[in-house]
Amino acid sequence: MSQQDSSEHRAMLSNSVTDFARGADVARVRKLRETKTECDRAVWRQMAELGWLGVLVPEQYGGMGMQLGDMAIVAQGLARALVPEPLTATSVLAARVLTASDNNSLKTKLLEGLVSSDILPATAWQEQAGTLDVTKITTQATPFEGGFRISGAKRFVIGATHADGYIVSANSPAGLQLLWVPRDAAGAAMTFDALADGRQSGTLTLSEVTVAKENVIHSGAAAAESLARAIDHAAAIASAELCGIMSRSLEMTLDYMKTRVQFGKPIGSFQVLQHRTVDLYIQQELSTAVLADCLGVLDEEPDAKTRSAAASRVKARCTDAALLITRQAIQLHGAIGFTEDCDVGLYVKRAMTLAAWLGNGTAHRRRYARTEIIEGATA
Amino acid sequence: MSTLGAVSAAKTDWNAMDDDAFRMDLRAYFEKEFPDHLRFLPRRLRWAESVDWWKKLSKKGWLAPNWPVEHGGMGLTPAKLIIYWEESERAGLGRMPDQGLTMVGPMLIRFGNDAQRANYLPKILAGDIVWCQGYSEPNAGSDLASLRTEAVLDGDEYVINGSKIWTSMAHDATNIYVLVRTDKNVKQQRGISFLLVDMKTPGITLRTIRNIAGHEEFCQVFFDNVRTHKDNLVGKLNEGWTIAKGLLTFERLSIGSPRRPLQAFEQLDALARAQHLFDDPGFVDRYTQLKMDLNDLSSLYGRFVEKVRQGIPLGPDISMLKIFATDTYQKLSELLLEAGDEYGAFADEITLGGDQIDLMSPFYISRPGTIYGGSNEIQRNILSKYVLQLPS
Ligand SMILES: Cc1cc2nc3c(=O)[nH]c(=O)nc-3n(C[C@H](O)[C@H](O)[C@H](O)COP(=O)(O)OP(=O)(O)OC[C@H]3O[C@@H](n4cnc5c(N)ncnc54)[C@H](O)[C@@H]3O)c2cc1C
């Protein structure tokens, strides 16, 4: 695609996202806590029709074959409107893992299903809190003639309430396996814990679940590498979502500061609040600058070390900035910002959920320190 | 009934007791007598849940640790008071609708008349009445002096019209203390009076408001020709602002107590043990920083409590305590979420290493501390103007 084509494409994407977000229903988000309907399949289908589920998926599987920079536009725009559907978990994390698969028939079926919204896959890779290392797992895949039997427990599965199946990682004598486990597979059970924003974190228990050879997505070092890359890419797109959250939150705060009057003046005229919001604005601009830079780096498919460093930079900054801005939004709204009815709280909660997913600020700084600073110094 | 409490409190000089013995007494009692299902709740207790405990503590003479002995309190020294709070936190005693204890009691002791003290103090101790605070209005938050709810004297009664908002636990209260405008023709602060009103008075209606965590924490209270007898005026007519300012000082002292952050520390300790966080030097740094901040907060708090005990009026410098306490509490709640990693987004309690840990509630509970009782921005304005005396 030429430069001009691609910028036209991005403008189009951006417009369609803005239109969609304008019609998005915050009342639905508000009800999440009671109804747990974090994914409305009708909305999901609509998103598929707009092409968004397949932004990153190669054209031969029905996708758009575009770049992370394009995906970020969609994610950021939808996050501004608090759309709860699991776009990043599905269309980045799962889509990247599936695209790297060498099992062509399974890959075709799942990717086409993902793009059309007929199949919603969720990725169940993590077992421990606080690590992004895909090898830190104990789920076992024991081989037999027809495939594997897997046992173990996966935590923090996002986008799982409506999932039709799971991409599960497990250790086998031949290295890491990525396996497709349909939702109703015998021995697989999913339970949920509510997250701050009303969405759900899944725990998948697997006991002696049989996975046929045909359902092996990817194996060995290449599988581990594709999973790690998918996680980094998803962390970067989650950062784009955080940028959407912070920008809308700051906008709402600035609007409020222009209209709320105390001591006979708009509170936005108090210098301390002006300086405070200027600092928040700087954090927002830092975030978008880092985001653009890191997406560029990731789209060039650098080596694993460079890739992880870029993902960590952007996730650390965007997480911290979004948490700061949304928390300050409460403060600057005063008591009304502390009520359920005020949208400010919805942004705080979404920021917390996105912050904790795929490594929070501390986790990413820890990883960055390990690979970029400590190993660099001893190299 | 409350005299019972006063009598038994007078019998023991808690302050003369050895610190450890005092602590162990409290600990044993709180562990044995407080209802288990109410421990470590992520929200304030409702009155119906509190009343039995309230009465029990009152009988024992342990309900009002900060009130003087002659009014039925324990009259504790700062050091003993801090032990009292620490043990309450340790036992997970929830925050009851305690405005009567923390605000109205001390206020009447200082500004009320004998009749008001005789009428209200025993009822507060006995748990017969529950108070809420009617200061803020939709358009008078930080700028409280601009309040517009008005009271007009008609015969022996004041007739009140207007509305108050963010009134914590108004839906549980039997009585409300309100700031009302009684003179519109003078400087704002000069035309405000302080009234006590029975919530059952005709003309009062409530709208409950849910907080960010989904709990019904506060209300908007509407006054439509609400009548209260003129004996319910506290202090002099049009001098309510002075009383309110005095009371806000008490409130700042109470918000400034290290007790609430202490509970969050319990959660952080449990998390750190379960997740082996003390192996991580980065965590240890942040943890220790806050631990030492909290210790230092206790020192600062002790300084102000000591003044109160000696009868020295608290000045505008109390604002620094409120700022440091609430900021520290928020930082602590933020570390709790951050150190929880993925669990840091879990809405409900988690079970880790055999412990039940609530990472999220301290976050919500610590948020409004920087907003109410005079926001921290307002506190900084006060400090820069009245303490540092910078030009305005
Ligand atoms: C949980 C909770 C419980 C409460 N309980 C009670 C209660 O029981 N009774 C009661 O009467 N009230 C209660 N309040 C209300 C509380 O006292 C007010 O929220 C507070 O006074 C701030 O007013 P506001 O919310 O209208 O914010 P605003 O005054 O509108 O302030 C909005 C923002 O502007 C800032 N600001 C305002 N003026 C200035 C200035 N001059 N300089 C710099 N910054 C400024 C504030 O700091 C804040 O950040 C409660 C509030 C909360 C959150």
Side-chain angles (χ1 to χ4, degrees):
Chain A
M1 216 183 285
S2 78
Q3 194 120 57
Q4 196 192 340
D5 275 359
S6 111
S7 65
E8 271 173 22
H9 239 106
R10 284 192 181 175
M12 268 168 57
L13 257 188
S14 173
N15 287 340
S16 71
V17 171
T18 312
D19 284 349
F20 182 93
R22 203 171 293 128
D25 181 6
V26 177
R28 189 163 71 96
V29 182
R30 217 172 263 298
K31 281 201 214 103
L32 277 185
R33 186 159 52 211
E34 290 108 57
T35 58
K36 300 184 180 159
T37 49
E38 65 180 29
C39 180
D40 178 335
R41 279 311 263 260
V43 174
W44 193 240
R45 206 166 311 118
Q46 211 184 331
M47 289 166 66
E49 280 157 16
L50 289 159
W52 298 340
L53 305 191
V55 169
L56 295 178
V57 175
E59 276 154 307
Q60 69 188 104
Y61 306 103
M64 299 169 86
M66 294 169 85
Q67 296 193 299
L68 289 170
D70 306 291
M71 189 74 215
I73 290 168
V74 181
Q76 186 166 351
L78 296 185
R80 274 177 61 86
L82 293 167
V83 172
E85 276 70 21
L87 182 74
T88 306
T90 311
S91 296
V92 183
L93 186 55
R96 282 300 202 216
V97 171
L98 293 173
T99 307
S101 167
D102 53 8
N103 176 344
N104 277 325
S105 65
L106 180 67
K107 172 176 170 173
T108 305
K109 177 181 99 175
L110 294 180
L111 277 179
E112 285 179 357
L114 187 158
V115 171
S116 69
S117 84
D118 291 338
I119 301 175
L120 203 167
T123 311
W125 64 276
Q126 197 172 6
E127 299 181 12
Q128 285 173 35
T131 177
L132 296 169
D133 186 341
V134 299
T135 64
K136 285 211 171 144
I137 58 169
T138 60
T139 296
Q140 279 300 328
T142 313
F144 72 105
E145 328 78 74
F148 293 98
R149 284 201 186 81
I150 53 175
S151 292
K154 295 289 175 179
R155 300 228 60 174
F156 317 119
V157 189
I158 298 302
T161 57
H162 289 67
D164 300 303
Y166 316 112
I167 299 167
V168 175
S169 61
N171 290 322
S172 78
L176 191 87
Q177 302 292 334
L178 291 170
L179 309 163
W180 175 248
V181 177
R183 176 196 192 93
D184 51 10
M190 186 68 95
T191 56
F192 293 102
D193 290 290
L195 293 169
D197 67 346
R199 299 199 290 184
Q200 306 287 318
S201 174
T203 298
L204 178 65
T205 343
L206 304 150
S207 43
E208 295 285 312
V209 176
T210 305
V211 181
K213 269 202 196 91
E214 303 76 64
N215 281 338
V216 175
I217 299 165
H218 213 169
S219 304
E225 177 54 20
S226 85
L227 180 57
R229 168 174 169 269
I231 289 168
D232 282 339
H233 288 188
I237 300 301
S239 305
E241 289 193 67
L242 285 160
C243 284
I245 292 294
M246 69 178 91
S247 70
R248 182 65 196 122
S249 181
L250 184 55
E251 232 169 64
M252 281 163 39
T253 303
L254 293 171
D255 284 346
Y256 190 72
M257 287 168 62
K258 288 171 193 162
T259 52
R260 170 69 172 170
V261 173
Q262 289 289 279
F263 304 98
K265 295 178 202 150
I267 58 172
S269 67
F270 300 125
Q271 197 168 47
V272 63
L273 303 191
Q274 294 174 343
H275 288 190
R276 179 94 47 87
T277 39
V278 165
D279 285 343
L280 299 180
Y281 174 72
I282 292 173
Q283 286 300 318
Q284 172 190 291
E285 294 306 297
L286 270 172
S287 299
T288 51
V290 178
L291 179 68
D293 235 9
C294 290
L295 291 172
V297 171
L298 295 178
D299 273 330
E300 279 165 17
E301 296 295 350
D303 59 74
K305 187 165 172 283
T306 309
R307 182 194 70 217
S308 293
S312 285
R313 274 187 68 204
V314 67
K315 185 69 172 26
R317 169 65 59 189
C318 293
T319 294
D320 286 5
L323 292 176
L324 177 73
I325 289 171
T326 54
R327 287 165 186 176
Q328 277 298 324
I330 301 181
Q331 182 66 21
L332 294 165
H333 277 77
I336 204 159
F338 190 66
T339 60
E340 182 170 72
D341 284 348
C342 182
D343 286 351
V344 160
L346 301 175
Y347 286 84
V348 175
K349 291 170 186 177
R350 179 62 57 81
M352 287 199 279
T353 299
L354 288 168
W357 185 45
L358 302 177
N360 63 23
T362 304
H364 277 286
R365 275 188 296 273
R366 218 188 288 135
R367 184 173 81 161
Y368 188 89
R370 221 169 22 241
T371 60
E372 294 298 302
I373 296 171
I374 299 168
E375 283 172 19
T378 53
Chain B
M1 287 308 293
S2 70
T3 46
L4 253 184
V7 169
S8 79
K11 267 195 232 145
T12 320
D13 182 358
W14 309 109
N15 293 326
M17 255 174 108
D18 172 66
D19 277 1
D20 286 340
F22 178 63
R23 185 187 290 281
M24 287 308 143
D25 268 11
L26 290 169
R27 185 172 300 179
Y29 188 76
F30 291 166
E31 265 171 19
K32 178 152 168 280
E33 302 292 339
F34 189 76
D36 279 336
H37 68 283
L38 297 178
R39 288 182 203 270
F40 296 108
L41 285 194
R43 54 175 173 83
R44 296 185 185 201
L45 298 183
R46 300 296 302 266
W47 178 247
E49 299 166 317
S50 317
V51 59
D52 288 347
W53 175 243
W54 185 289
K55 293 191 171 179
K56 203 169 198 167
L57 270 184
S58 180
K59 288 220 177 74
K60 201 165 167 60
W62 282 8
L63 181 63
N66 56 330
W67 290 19
V69 174
E70 62 269 31
H71 293 296
M74 296 173 83
L76 296 185
T77 59
K80 287 282 192 308
L81 198 53
I82 286 172
I83 294 175
Y84 186 98
W85 297 137
E86 280 175 352
E87 290 306 313
S88 330
E89 286 319 317
R90 190 193 149 93
L93 310 190
R95 172 135 188 245
M96 303 189 278
D98 56 8
Q99 290 270 335
L101 292 176
T102 56
M103 304 285 281
V104 181
M107 184 271 297
L108 288 178
I109 290 169
R110 182 152 156 216
F111 299 104
N113 58 38
D114 286 340
Q116 287 166 341
R117 279 192 283 268
N119 180 21
Y120 289 116
L121 296 185
K123 287 183 190 155
I124 292 172
L125 289 175
D128 293 339
I129 53 175
V130 182
W131 289 91
C132 63
Q133 178 190 61
Y135 283 9
S136 308
E137 297 179 5
N139 291 312
S142 297
D143 184 13
L144 185 58
S146 72
L147 62 90
R148 285 207 294 251
T149 296
E150 66 170 341
V152 178
L153 193 62
D154 178 29
D156 279 345
E157 292 173 330
Y158 286 102
V159 183
I160 309 169
N161 280 290
S163 127
K164 295 292 176 178
I165 197 166
W166 317 126
T167 322
S168 297
M169 294 292 166
H171 43 325
D172 275 359
T174 58
N175 295 67
I176 182 168
Y177 55 102
V178 279
L179 286 180
V180 289
R181 181 146 313 279
T182 39
D183 190 342
K184 293 187 210 166
N185 301 316
V186 289
K187 188 175 171 250
Q188 280 183 336
Q189 285 82 345
R190 296 260 173 89
I192 293 172
S193 299
F194 200 110
L195 285 175
L196 308 176
V197 183
D198 188 325
M199 293 287 278
K200 286 194 297 292
T201 317
I204 295 186
T205 49
L206 298 183
R207 171 177 76 93
T208 53
I209 305 173
R210 282 182 191 276
N211 71 13
I212 195 170
H215 302 142
E216 287 187 339
E217 174 166 359
F218 35 36
C219 295
Q220 184 165 9
V221 185
F222 300 91
F223 296 81
D224 180 15
N225 289 316
V226 172
R227 292 177 164 266
T228 192
H229 195 274
K230 67 178 175 18
D231 289 348
N232 286 320
L233 176 73
V234 181
K236 296 206 185 91
L237 189 66
N238 293 327
E239 289 186 4
W241 186 250
T242 316
I243 301 177
K245 276 208 321 205
L247 252 192
L248 279 173
T249 310
F250 285 120
E251 190 175 22
R252 281 163 203 168
L253 186 65
S254 146
I255 299 173
S257 115
R259 67 183 294 214
R260 280 171 239 177
L262 279 170
Q263 190 186 339
F265 248 104
E266 299 266 328
Q267 307 295 309
L268 189 58
D269 281 335
L271 177 74
R273 279 193 308 269
Q275 301 293 82
H276 309 289
L277 298 178
F278 291 123
D279 297 342
D280 169 7
F283 174 78
V284 173
D285 272 357
R286 296 176 75 180
Y287 176 95
T288 310
Q289 169 106 53
L290 286 168
K291 187 87 186 172
M292 293 177 76
D293 281 349
L294 196 61
N295 292 343
D296 298 349
L297 171 64
S298 292
S299 300
L300 192 64
Y301 179 65
R303 185 205 275 185
F304 288 106
V305 174
E306 183 60 29
K307 277 194 189 171
V308 172
R309 203 183 61 88
Q310 292 175 8
I312 303 171
L314 293 175
D317 57 337
I318 186 73
S319 291
M320 75 176 104
L321 181 72
K322 196 254 173 185
I323 293 171
F324 190 67
T326 53
D327 281 355
T328 302
Y329 189 15
Q330 288 190 349
K331 281 189 202 149
L332 182 52
S333 78
E334 288 160 16
L335 177 59
L336 197 52
L337 295 182
E338 189 81 5
D341 287 304
E342 281 74 6
Y343 293 111
F346 277 43
D348 303 311
E349 267 189 350
I350 54 171
T351 307
L352 273 185
D355 275 322
Q356 294 277 101
I357 307 175
D358 188 348
L359 298 174
M360 192 56 71
S361 298
F363 176 78
Y364 292 130
I365 298 173
S366 67
R367 280 311 107 183
T370 51
I371 297 171
Y372 60 46
S375 75
N376 283 17
E377 288 78 15
I378 295 298
Q379 309 291 340
R380 288 184 169 95
N381 287 347
I382 292 172
L383 286 167
S384 53
K385 186 165 175 190
Y386 297 105
V387 178
L388 304 186
Q389 308 207 332
L390 293 170
S392 52

